[in-house]
């Protein structure tokens, strides 16, 4: 006998069709945050400690462009975009880092 929770899990995972128009894969662990960037780019952060930048300009043909250089030692749980292509990341290592998305360098580190 299934509980309501188990029925929901079963139906969610055994869905006969996937209605998404695109799947981006490349992280080796849970994805925690997504942030839209300029020029049809998307940033994703993960518990694998990486921030990946994706090109999503053509629906159905998204592709991984590059990873930002390592900057956190723990899962990256949040992303935010500031003016002038600055991307902010927050992680379980108690650090907030500000990145220049156009060149992938850390612009500032806050502790």
């Amino acid at each position: 006998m299934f509980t309501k929770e188990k029925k929901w899990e079963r139906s969610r995972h055994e869905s006969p069709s996937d209605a998404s128009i695109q799947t981006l894969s490349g992280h080796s662990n849970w994805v925690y945050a997504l942030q839209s960037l300029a020029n049809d780019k998307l940033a994703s952060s993960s518990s694998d400690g990486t921030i990946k930048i994706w090109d999503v300009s053509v629906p159905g043909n998204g592709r991984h462009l590059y990873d930002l250089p390592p900057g956190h030692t723990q899962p990256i749980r949040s992303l935010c975009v500031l003016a002038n292509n600055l991307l902010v990341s927050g992680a379980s290592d108690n650090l907030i880092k500000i990145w220049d998305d156009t060149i992938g360098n850390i612009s500032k580190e806050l502790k």
Side-chain angles (χ1 to χ4, degrees):
M1 176 188 251
F2 287 112
T3 64
K4 285 184 181 179
E5 183 177 324
K6 286 186 180 180
K7 283 183 184 176
W8 178 82
E9 279 184 23
R10 184 172 181 232
S11 65
R12 182 184 61 163
H13 293 294
E14 294 179 10
S15 175
S17 66
D18 182 352
S20 66
I21 62 167
Q22 188 165 327
T23 299
L24 304 171
S25 59
H27 285 291
S28 62
N29 216 324
W30 297 343
V31 173
Y32 282 125
L34 300 170
Q35 187 64 56
S36 177
L37 304 173
N39 301 319
D40 293 318
K41 290 193 279 182
L42 178 73
S44 61
S45 69
S46 169
S47 61
D48 65 11
T50 64
I51 298 172
K52 296 187 179 297
I53 307 299
W54 308 85
D55 174 3
V56 292
S57 59
V58 180
N61 286 327
R63 62 187 177 94
H64 176 237
L65 295 175
Y66 56 90
D67 289 2
L68 292 182
H72 289 286
T73 59
Q74 296 290 318
I76 302 168
R77 297 186 173 268
S78 60
L79 294 174
C80 176
V81 174
L82 301 177
N84 301 323
N85 294 317
L86 296 178
L87 180 67
V88 181
S89 60
S92 297
D93 58 8
N94 300 322
L95 295 175
I96 297 170
K97 299 199 180 241
I98 302 173
W99 306 83
D100 183 339
D101 171 51
T102 59
I103 56 175
N105 288 337
I106 295 176
S107 174
K108 192 166 195 173
E109 182 175 307
L110 307 172
K111 296 182 181 182

